[in-house]
PDB file of all heavy atoms in Angstrom:
ATOM      1  N   ASN A  26      61.138 117.640 131.109  1.00 98.00           N
ATOM      2  CA  ASN A  26      61.252 117.815 132.561  1.00 98.00           C
ATOM      3  C   ASN A  26      61.958 119.118 132.899  1.00 98.00           C
ATOM      4  O   ASN A  26      61.525 119.868 133.794  1.00 98.00           O
ATOM      5  CB  ASN A  26      62.007 116.621 133.163  1.00 98.00           C
ATOM      6  CG  ASN A  26      62.241 116.775 134.653  1.00 98.00           C
ATOM      7  OD1 ASN A  26      61.332 117.077 135.418  1.00 98.00           O
ATOM      8  ND2 ASN A  26      63.476 116.572 135.065  1.00 98.00           N
ATOM      9  N   LEU A  27      63.027 119.423 132.181  1.00 97.00           N
ATOM     10  CA  LEU A  27      63.761 120.668 132.430  1.00 97.00           C
ATOM     11  C   LEU A  27      62.895 121.882 132.113  1.00 97.00           C
ATOM     12  O   LEU A  27      62.862 122.853 132.885  1.00 97.00           O
ATOM     13  CB  LEU A  27      65.043 120.694 131.596  1.00 97.00           C
ATOM     14  CG  LEU A  27      66.110 119.648 131.954  1.00 97.00           C
ATOM     15  CD1 LEU A  27      67.282 119.744 130.988  1.00 97.00           C
ATOM     16  CD2 LEU A  27      66.588 119.818 133.385  1.00 97.00           C
ATOM     17  N   ALA A  28      62.174 121.836 130.990  1.00 96.00           N
ATOM     18  CA  ALA A  28      61.323 122.965 130.603  1.00 96.00           C
ATOM     19  C   ALA A  28      60.221 123.203 131.636  1.00 96.00           C
ATOM     20  O   ALA A  28      59.890 124.347 131.968  1.00 96.00           O
ATOM     21  CB  ALA A  28      60.723 122.721 129.224  1.00 96.00           C
ATOM     22  N   ARG A  29      59.651 122.120 132.144  1.00 96.00           N
ATOM     23  CA  ARG A  29      58.597 122.258 133.160  1.00 96.00           C
ATOM     24  C   ARG A  29      59.131 122.902 134.437  1.00 96.00           C
ATOM     25  O   ARG A  29      58.367 123.468 135.225  1.00 96.00           O
ATOM     26  CB  ARG A  29      57.999 120.889 133.503  1.00 96.00           C
ATOM     27  CG  ARG A  29      57.153 120.280 132.404  1.00 96.00           C
ATOM     28  CD  ARG A  29      56.400 119.061 132.927  1.00 96.00           C
ATOM     29  NE  ARG A  29      55.869 118.264 131.832  1.00 96.00           N
ATOM     30  CZ  ARG A  29      56.445 117.168 131.352  1.00 96.00           C
ATOM     31  NH1 ARG A  29      57.583 116.738 131.873  1.00 96.00           N
ATOM     32  NH2 ARG A  29      55.897 116.510 130.354  1.00 96.00           N
ATOM     33  N   ASN A  30      60.430 122.780 134.645  1.00 94.00           N
ATOM     34  CA  ASN A  30      61.048 123.348 135.845  1.00 94.00           C
ATOM     35  C   ASN A  30      61.638 124.736 135.599  1.00 94.00           C
ATOM     36  O   ASN A  30      62.488 125.197 136.367  1.00 94.00           O
ATOM     37  CB  ASN A  30      62.121 122.396 136.374  1.00 94.00           C
ATOM     38  CG  ASN A  30      61.527 121.269 137.195  1.00 94.00           C
ATOM     39  OD1 ASN A  30      61.273 121.433 138.381  1.00 94.00           O
ATOM     40  ND2 ASN A  30      61.292 120.127 136.558  1.00 94.00           N
ATOM     41  N   GLY A  31      61.202 125.396 134.543  1.00 92.00           N
ATOM     42  CA  GLY A  31      61.563 126.785 134.317  1.00 92.00           C
ATOM     43  C   GLY A  31      62.861 127.030 133.597  1.00 92.00           C
ATOM     44  O   GLY A  31      63.321 128.170 133.521  1.00 92.00           O
ATOM     45  N   ILE A  32      63.462 125.996 133.052  1.00 94.00           N
ATOM     46  CA  ILE A  32      64.711 126.153 132.315  1.00 94.00           C
ATOM     47  C   ILE A  32      64.403 126.385 130.841  1.00 94.00           C
ATOM     48  O   ILE A  32      63.501 125.758 130.273  1.00 94.00           O
ATOM     49  CB  ILE A  32      65.608 124.922 132.504  1.00 94.00           C
ATOM     50  CG1 ILE A  32      66.080 124.857 133.965  1.00 94.00           C
ATOM     51  CG2 ILE A  32      66.799 124.931 131.562  1.00 94.00           C
ATOM     52  CD1 ILE A  32      66.910 123.655 134.295  1.00 94.00           C
ATOM     53  N   VAL A  33      65.124 127.296 130.223  1.00 96.00           N
ATOM     54  CA  VAL A  33      64.945 127.574 128.801  1.00 96.00           C
ATOM     55  C   VAL A  33      65.627 126.469 128.005  1.00 96.00           C
ATOM     56  O   VAL A  33      66.847 126.283 128.086  1.00 96.00           O
ATOM     57  CB  VAL A  33      65.542 128.946 128.421  1.00 96.00           C
ATOM     58  CG1 VAL A  33      65.401 129.186 126.921  1.00 96.00           C
ATOM     59  CG2 VAL A  33      64.862 130.053 129.211  1.00 96.00           C
ATOM     60  N   VAL A  34      64.824 125.722 127.252  1.00 97.00           N
ATOM     61  CA  VAL A  34      65.352 124.578 126.500  1.00 97.00           C
ATOM     62  C   VAL A  34      65.112 124.782 125.010  1.00 97.00           C
ATOM     63  O   VAL A  34      63.982 125.018 124.575  1.00 97.00           O
ATOM     64  CB  VAL A  34      64.690 123.262 126.944  1.00 97.00           C
ATOM     65  CG1 VAL A  34      65.292 122.080 126.171  1.00 97.00           C
ATOM     66  CG2 VAL A  34      64.853 123.048 128.447  1.00 97.00           C
ATOM     67  N   THR A  35      66.198 124.687 124.244  1.00 98.00           N
ATOM     68  CA  THR A  35      66.128 124.718 122.788  1.00 98.00           C
ATOM     69  C   THR A  35      66.490 123.325 122.282  1.00 98.00           C
ATOM     70  O   THR A  35      67.463 122.734 122.757  1.00 98.00           O
ATOM     71  CB  THR A  35      67.115 125.757 122.220  1.00 98.00           C
ATOM     72  OG1 THR A  35      66.790 127.032 122.753  1.00 98.00           O
ATOM     73  CG2 THR A  35      67.024 125.808 120.708  1.00 98.00           C
ATOM     74  N   ALA A  36      65.699 122.804 121.341  1.00 98.00           N
ATOM     75  CA  ALA A  36      65.887 121.418 120.943  1.00 98.00           C
ATOM     76  C   ALA A  36      66.050 121.252 119.445  1.00 98.00           C
ATOM     77  O   ALA A  36      65.447 121.973 118.650  1.00 98.00           O
ATOM     78  CB  ALA A  36      64.700 120.577 121.413  1.00 98.00           C
ATOM     79  N   PHE A  37      66.861 120.254 119.094  1.00 98.00           N
ATOM     80  CA  PHE A  37      66.983 119.832 117.696  1.00 98.00           C
ATOM     81  C   PHE A  37      66.982 118.313 117.638  1.00 98.00           C
ATOM     82  O   PHE A  37      67.617 117.643 118.460  1.00 98.00           O
ATOM     83  CB  PHE A  37      68.257 120.348 117.049  1.00 98.00           C
ATOM     84  CG  PHE A  37      68.508 119.730 115.697  1.00 98.00           C
ATOM     85  CD1 PHE A  37      67.730 120.088 114.601  1.00 98.00           C
ATOM     86  CD2 PHE A  37      69.474 118.743 115.532  1.00 98.00           C
ATOM     87  CE1 PHE A  37      67.912 119.482 113.362  1.00 98.00           C
ATOM     88  CE2 PHE A  37      69.672 118.144 114.297  1.00 98.00           C
ATOM     89  CZ  PHE A  37      68.894 118.514 113.207  1.00 98.00           C
ATOM     90  N   ASP A  38      66.269 117.791 116.646  1.00 97.00           N
ATOM     91  CA  ASP A  38      66.282 116.362 116.363  1.00 97.00           C
ATOM     92  C   ASP A  38      65.963 116.193 114.882  1.00 97.00           C
ATOM     93  O   ASP A  38      65.170 116.964 114.324  1.00 97.00           O
ATOM     94  CB  ASP A  38      65.238 115.638 117.226  1.00 97.00           C
ATOM     95  CG  ASP A  38      65.449 114.127 117.257  1.00 97.00           C
ATOM     96  OD1 ASP A  38      65.263 113.470 116.209  1.00 97.00           O
ATOM     97  OD2 ASP A  38      65.802 113.603 118.324  1.00 97.00           O
ATOM     98  N   LEU A  39      66.577 115.214 114.249  1.00 96.00           N
ATOM     99  CA  LEU A  39      66.276 114.944 112.846  1.00 96.00           C
ATOM    100  C   LEU A  39      64.813 114.540 112.660  1.00 96.00           C
ATOM    101  O   LEU A  39      64.249 114.708 111.583  1.00 96.00           O
ATOM    102  CB  LEU A  39      67.193 113.845 112.315  1.00 96.00           C
ATOM    103  CG  LEU A  39      68.676 114.228 112.147  1.00 96.00           C
ATOM    104  CD1 LEU A  39      69.492 112.997 111.753  1.00 96.00           C
ATOM    105  CD2 LEU A  39      68.852 115.337 111.130  1.00 96.00           C
ATOM    106  N   ASN A  40      64.216 114.009 113.716  1.00 96.00           N
ATOM    107  CA  ASN A  40      62.804 113.642 113.699  1.00 96.00           C
ATOM    108  C   ASN A  40      61.983 114.827 114.200  1.00 96.00           C
ATOM    109  O   ASN A  40      61.939 115.113 115.400  1.00 96.00           O
ATOM    110  CB  ASN A  40      62.582 112.417 114.591  1.00 96.00           C
ATOM    111  CG  ASN A  40      61.146 111.930 114.575  1.00 96.00           C
ATOM    112  OD1 ASN A  40      60.247 112.610 114.068  1.00 96.00           O
ATOM    113  ND2 ASN A  40      60.916 110.758 115.139  1.00 96.00           N
TER     114      ASN A  40
END
Side-chain angles (χ1 to χ4, degrees):
N26 176 50
L27 294 177
R29 289 190 195 99
N30 279 276
I32 292 177
V33 177
V34 182
T35 301
F37 170 72
D38 195 292
L39 290 174
N40 183 349

